[in-house]
Amino acid sequence: MIQKKKCIAMLLAGGQGSRLKVLTKNVAKPAVPFGAKFRIIDFPLSNCINSDITVVGVLTQYQPLVLNRYIRTGDPWDLDRLYGGVYVLPPYQQNSGADWYKGTANAIYQNFPFIEQYDPEHVLILSGDHIYTMDYSKMLEAHERANADATVAVIDVPWEEASRFGILATDEEGRITEFQEKPAQPKSNQASMGIYIFKWSKLKEYLERDEADPASSNDFGKNIIPAMLGDGQNLFAYSFHGYWKDVGTIDSLWEANVDLIFHPDQLKINDPEWKIYARNPVSPPHYTGNKASIKNSIVSEGGSICGKVEDSVVSYKVDLKEDSEIYGSVIMQHAVVEAGAKVYNAIIGEGAVIRKGAVVGAPAKGDTPTITVVGPGCTVNEKETVPAGEIIDREETKKEGTNNG
Amino acid sequence: MANAFGIIFANIHDDALPQLTQNRTLGAVPMGGRYRLIDFILSNMVNSGISSVGVIARNNYHSLVHHLGSGKEWDLSRKFGGLTIFPPYATAGAGLYHGRLEALKTVLSYIVRAREEYAVLADSNVILNIDLAKVLEYHEENDADVTCVYQNVDLKEKNAKDRVLYEIDGEGRIQAVLADPRTSEGNVNNSLGIWVMKKDLLVRIIDDAQNTGKQSLERDVLGQRCQDWKILGYGFDGFVEQVRSVPGYYRAGMALLNADVRRELFPRERPIYTKVHDESPVFYAPEAKASNSLIANGCRIEGTVENSILGRGVYVAKGAVVRNSLLMQGVTVAEGSTVDCAIIDKGSYVSPNRNLSGAPTYPIVVEKGSRV
C-alpha cells in the first residue's frame, strides 16, 4: 500500500571512509563509534525523526554488516513504523544486470522504486559522515517558500579554508548563482554541507538524464547540481548556523569527540528537545573505583573506571584498571586498558586491549596533538611503546560480543 | 523455550517502603541507578526461556505501565504470549485484592488460556539472577507438585518478621511453612517468593481459595498441604536481596557497589533488561571527584561523589558532596550541600549549603519531588 509522504530522506552511507584507516577496516564510516555512546549515523537518523521525517532509506554498499545489525528495525530512533520507517538499501541485481552504486546520484537512481512507493513531493539527501544537529523541517519550509527545485544547505567556513569545500555563490535572495568545487579563488565562504532537498519530479528528471550520460561520474556535487544550475533551475541556498563537522579523517574525528567536552554548548547531546538516539546494549551504570580520578571527561554505561581519566571520551563497557592513565583520548566500547598503561591523545578502537605498562602516544608539544590510533580489536603488548602518530592495525586478538551495537 | 508462563505480583510488598511507594508499585521502585525492582525477576524469566508473562498490578501502577510499555525491552512484545499487564479488575461486590490468591483470581482466564504446562509465580521485591530453567527442571525431575525457591540464611536476631520460612526434611520436602515467625533464629530457610507448579494445580488452588475464602498462598495453601502434596524446596545460594523495609532497600542498593555482587547480578550471558532512556554519557567537570560509585547516564558531576549510586540525570553541583547515598533520577544537589546516608527520590532538589545526614541503619528518605 502506498501512503503518501510529503518528504522522505535518503541517507548515503556507502562510503568506505578510507581516510579513517583502520577504524573503517571492517565497518562503513557511518557505523564508526562517536561520542561515547553513538555511531556517526545516529546524528542524521535522530535529526530525521526530530524533524518529523519518518521514511529514511539508508544506502549501503561497503561493509554493511555492522550497519545493518545496528539499524535493524530502526526502533531506537522510533523509525519502526507501520508506514515507512528506516530501510537499509544495498545495491541489487535487476533484470538488466547488476551494478554497484557508481556514485551518490546513481545510488538514488537505482532506488527509484523505493522512493515512488511514498509518492513524495520532496526528497532530502543526507550523508552519513557528519556530526551536527539540524532541523530539516525548517530547511524544507524555506525550500517550499522559495518554490525551489533544489535547496542546498550551506555553512560559513573560514575564507582561508574555503578552497577545500564545494562553494556556492548566491544573490541577496539566497538564489544560487554559481557552484565551485574546491575552487582556488573562492567567490564566497558558503560551503555545501552535502545536504540537499529536491523536488522529486525535478530530481527524477535530472537523475535519468545523468544516468544516460556515460561521461558523468553520477555525483550530486559534481554533476546534478551543476547541470540544474546550467539549465537555470530554481536553486537556493539554506544557511545553517551551528555545529557541523565532517569526521572523515582521524584528526577531525578526534576533534569532534573532544569538542563534546571542551565545547558542550556547541554540540548538545543532552538536549531533551533534540535527543540523539542510539542502540546501546543494556548494562548497569558505570562504576568508578576507589582510586578513580575522572576529570573533564564524558563516560558512558557499563564500564569500570578505576584509573585516571582526563579530557577524554570513554564509551560503554570500557575497563580501565587501577593505575591506568588516559589523557585527551577517545576510548571506544569494550576496550581494556591495564594497570600502569598510559594513553595520550589517542583513539582506542572497539575492543582493543592495552596491556600492562604500555605507552600509547605522547603528550602534545604545542597546541595540536599528534593523534595515535589503536585499531578495533588490536592488542598493544606489555610495556610496548606506540609512538605518537602511529596507527596500529594488527590481526584481531580478541573478539567481543557486540551484538547490540 | 521453557514450557512455562510467568506471573509477577507487582504490589504485594508495597507497605514495606511506604515513602517510596506512594506514587508507584513496589515493582516500579528504582534500583541500581537505572533499573526498577521488577526488572530483575522479569529478566530472570525471559533469560530462562519464559516468553509469556502476566504482571498483576493493584494500585498506583502508572509508573509501572510506563516502565514496562509493550515489553519490547525484555523481548516480550510478541504475537503469542509476551507481556500482559493486569490493572485491577474489580467485579461487582469485590474490591481490590489483598493476598496473592485474590490477585490470581482476577487473572484466572489468562491462566486458563495459557498454552504452557507450568506456571512460575514470583514477587517483584527480590533482587537476584537465577536460572529458572533449572528450577523447572528440578521440579519435573522430582515429580513435585509445588517447588518453592528459598535461601538458607543465618538470622542474627530473633526476629523473622515479614519473612516466610520453610522447614525442610532430608529429602528436600517442605514439612512446614512458617509465615511471619517472630521467634526463629539461626539457620533458616527463607522463602524468596518464587514458586513453580503445574498450571492445572494453580487453577485448582485458585478455585478452592475462592470457595473457602483463603487469602495467603503460603500460609493457607502450601502450609496446609505439606503432608498430602509433594512440596519441594529449591535452594538458591547466589546473591539475593529481598526488599522488605527502608533499611533493607538501602542495604540492597549499597550491595551493588561490591564488584562480586555486580558480576553475579549482571553476567554477560544473562543481562538484566530495563527501559532505555537515551540519556547522554555522564559529564565529569574538571573539579569532579567520584569514587566507589555507580553513576548512570545523563548525570553531571561537578562536586564529590563517594560510595553512592546515582540514577539517570542527577546533578551534583560544585562543592556539593554526596556520600553513602542512593539518589534517584533527576535529583539535584545544589552547591555546597552535603548528603550522607540518604535515599533521595526522583526529581528532588537539595538547596545550596544544606546538610542532610542519616545513619547506615537508618537512612533519611526524601520523598519524590521534594525541595529540601
Side-chain angles (χ1 to χ4, degrees), chain B residues 305-341:
Chain B
V305 181
E306 285 170 17
N307 311 322
S308 295
I309 299 182
L310 272 51
R312 290 176 289 109
V314 168
Y315 173 40
V316 179
K318 262 184 207 168
V321 179
V322 176
R323 276 193 199 106
N324 312 310
S325 294
L326 306 176
L327 271 50
M328 295 182 197
Q329 179 191 342
V331 167
T332 296
V333 182
E335 271 189 60
S337 279
T338 301
V339 171
D340 193 3
C341 292

Side-chain angles (χ1 to χ4, degrees), chain A residues 327 343-345 359-366 368-370 388:
Chain A
Y327 303 94
V343 178
Y344 301 93
N345 303 312
V359 179
V360 175
K365 291 175 191 137
T368 35
T370 309

Side-chain angles (χ1 to χ4, degrees), chain A residues 228-260:
Chain A
M228 289 181 81
L229 206 54
D231 290 354
Q233 300 285 0
N234 248 344
L235 266 60
F236 282 83
Y238 173 80
S239 287
F240 172 74
H241 305 280
Y243 186 92
W244 177 79
K245 194 159 221 149
D246 183 334
V247 286
T249 64
I250 297 286
D251 284 349
S252 64
L253 180 66
W254 178 85
E255 262 170 44
N257 269 288
V258 297
D259 279 349
L260 293 173

Side-chain angles (χ1 to χ4, degrees), chain B residues 53-342:
Chain B
V53 181
V55 176
I56 312 179
R58 183 176 55 193
N59 41 17
N60 296 340
Y61 53 83
H62 287 178
S63 71
L64 183 77
V65 171
H66 182 70
H67 178 67
L68 295 177
S70 66
K72 194 165 74 179
E73 269 111 348
W74 295 262
D75 203 16
L76 284 174
S77 174
R78 301 294 186 90
K79 275 213 165 141
F80 298 106
L83 179 74
T84 313
I85 304 171
F86 295 102
Y89 179 83
T91 46
L96 289 174
Y97 67 81
H98 296 282
R100 294 185 189 88
L101 290 173
E102 275 185 73
L104 287 165
K105 172 73 184 88
T106 67
V107 300
L108 186 58
S109 64
Y110 171 81
I111 295 170
V112 169
R113 272 204 316 274
R115 302 166 163 206
E116 296 85 357
E117 194 180 350
Y118 293 95
V120 178
L121 313 180
D123 289 349
S124 57
N125 69 327
V126 55
I127 301 164
L128 82 176
N129 199 320
I130 185 173
D131 187 352
L132 294 165
K134 285 194 180 145
V135 183
L136 280 158
E137 209 179 285
Y138 181 81
H139 180 85
E140 280 185 75
E141 267 173 14
N142 293 286
D143 200 23
D145 292 305
V146 181
T147 299
C148 307
V149 182
Y150 71 91
Q151 182 159 65
N152 189 273
V153 292
D154 189 12
L155 279 191
K156 300 255 173 347
E157 29 190 301
K158 204 174 186 175
N159 188 356
K161 190 177 172 300
D162 298 328
R163 287 176 191 266
V164 171
L165 307 180
Y166 300 137
E167 279 176 12
I168 301 176
D169 68 15
E171 266 123 57
R173 270 183 81 146
I174 295 178
Q175 294 294 345
V177 175
L178 313 170
D180 220 11
R182 280 158 201 273
T183 50
S184 301
E185 65 176 324
N187 248 321
V188 296
N189 299 313
N190 175 48
S191 163
L192 297 183
I194 300 170
W195 308 273
V196 173
M197 66 187 82
K198 272 209 170 115
K199 170 187 138 171
D200 297 345
L201 178 59
L202 178 60
V203 171
R204 265 178 24 231
I205 289 173
I206 297 167
D207 282 341
D208 175 64
Q210 201 192 8
N211 296 337
T212 56
K214 294 188 175 85
Q215 277 198 355
S216 161
L217 176 68
E218 294 202 287
R219 187 192 61 208
D220 300 343
V221 179
L222 303 183
Q224 305 304 313
R225 294 292 195 154
C226 289
Q227 301 315 315
D228 35 328
W229 289 350
K230 190 173 181 185
I231 303 180
L232 296 184
Y234 178 94
F236 177 73
D237 54 9
F239 172 82
V240 179
E241 279 286 350
Q242 265 170 308
V243 175
R244 277 190 228 85
S245 63
V246 170
Y249 172 78
Y250 176 77
R251 192 182 59 236
M254 297 305 277
L256 302 189
L257 292 177
N258 180 315
D260 294 331
V261 167
R262 282 201 309 282
R263 254 191 298 277
E264 215 180 300
L265 208 48
F266 304 107
R268 176 176 237 146
E269 64 284 3
R270 288 203 311 273
I272 302 300
Y273 304 98
T274 189
K275 185 178 167 71
V276 172
H277 284 271
D278 302 292
E279 298 281 354
S280 54
V282 178
F283 178 77
Y284 291 92
E287 53 282 349
K289 281 188 192 140
S291 60
N292 193 36
S293 295
L294 283 167
I295 301 179
N297 270 4
C299 288
R300 185 178 172 84
I301 313 297
E302 295 171 2
T304 301
V305 181
E306 285 170 17
N307 311 322
S308 295
I309 299 182
L310 272 51
R312 290 176 289 109
V314 168
Y315 173 40
V316 179
K318 262 184 207 168
V321 179
V322 176
R323 276 193 199 106
N324 312 310
S325 294
L326 306 176
L327 271 50
M328 295 182 197
Q329 179 191 342
V331 167
T332 296
V333 182
E335 271 189 60
S337 279
T338 301
V339 171
D340 193 3
C341 292

